Amino acid sequence: PESSRNFNFGVVLTPRAAPNFTVTADYYRTRIKDAIDSLADTDPNFIPDQCYETPGLTSPFCANITRAPSGPSAGQINLIFAPDANLGEIFTDGLDLGVTWQRDLGRVGKLTVAWQSTFLFNYKIRETPGAEQVQYAGKFPGLNFVGSYPKYRTVLTTSLDHGPWSFDWSARYIGEADVLDEDP
């Protein structure tokens, strides 16, 4: 089994002078050891790369690659076995902030404006035991990887609710992310 240690701390403020106004702040920190994942989930090329980078194709990862034995595709890869397993470690921490304001507009309805942001301080992954820990915060790992890890994301949402109908508008901003291991 994988194991994790988590720490969360949050605060919600609603000033008496402004009861329709709420501010939230939540810090989180999570460390996962023996994380269960597939080597193909983060990098589909990981298993072939590990195999082909060893002299004489002696890596144990080579046993996970099956090639077509005959026919027009003879010799071509037809299966890469990448089961879920206990692989490495994941460490992440960050801060979530939110501001919400609501106002009853009588016959017009209820107006809500909400702004939520996430600040990602760290997202470190050690893919296999003994491997180097890689910092993903502020990075786009590349087209062969799943996901992007910008250090800042925010969403602004406005909603007007009136009985059976509502009108919503939102805008989202996703901060920059450098391509991992590339010259900026």
Side-chain angles (χ1 to χ4, degrees), residues 53 62 67 168 171:
E53 290 176 4
C62 295
R67 296 180 176 276
D168 297 311

Side-chain angles (χ1 to χ4, degrees), residues 4 10 15 19 21 24 27 31 63 74 105 117-118 120 134 136 140 144 154 156 158 163 166 173 175:
S4 70
F21 185 73
T24 62
Y27 172 78
R31 180 180 305 277
L105 301 176
S117 293
T118 295
L120 180 63
V134 178
Y136 283 85
F140 172 68
N144 293 331
T154 190
L156 175 67
T158 303
S166 69
Y173 173 79

Side-chain angles (χ1 to χ4, degrees), residues 15 31 45 47 54 71 91 93 99 116 124 131 133 144 163 166-167 169 171 175 181:
R31 180 180 305 277
N45 293 319
I47 292 172
T54 57
F91 171 77
D93 70 332
V99 176
Q116 298 173 332
K124 297 177 182 178
Q133 193 175 49
N144 293 331
S166 69
F167 172 79
W169 176 85
D181 296 331

Side-chain angles (χ1 to χ4, degrees), residues 63-146:
N64 293 21
I65 300 172
T66 304
R67 296 180 176 276
S70 60
S73 299
Q76 296 294 314
I77 294 174
N78 65 357
L79 176 69
I80 297 176
F81 182 61
D84 285 342
N86 292 103
L87 298 178
E89 298 178 337
I90 300 170
F91 171 77
T92 185
D93 70 332
L95 180 66
D96 294 332
L97 296 176
V99 176
T100 303
W101 177 76
Q102 295 181 335
R103 176 80 186 231
D104 187 354
L105 301 176
R107 291 184 173 194
V108 175
K110 181 179 180 182
L111 178 65
T112 304
V113 178
W115 170 67
Q116 298 173 332
S117 293
T118 295
F119 299 88
L120 180 63
F121 301 143
N122 290 289
Y123 198 97
K124 297 177 182 178
I125 296 177
R126 184 183 319 274
E127 288 186 343
T128 58
E132 181 181 329
Q133 193 175 49
V134 178
Q135 172 67 273
Y136 283 85
K139 303 293 182 188
F140 172 68
L143 297 177
N144 293 331
F145 288 77
V146 177

Side-chain angles (χ1 to χ4, degrees), residues 136 138-141 176-182 184:
Y136 283 85
K139 303 293 182 188
F140 172 68
E176 66 182 32
D178 296 328
V179 177
L180 185 67
D181 296 331
E182 295 291 328

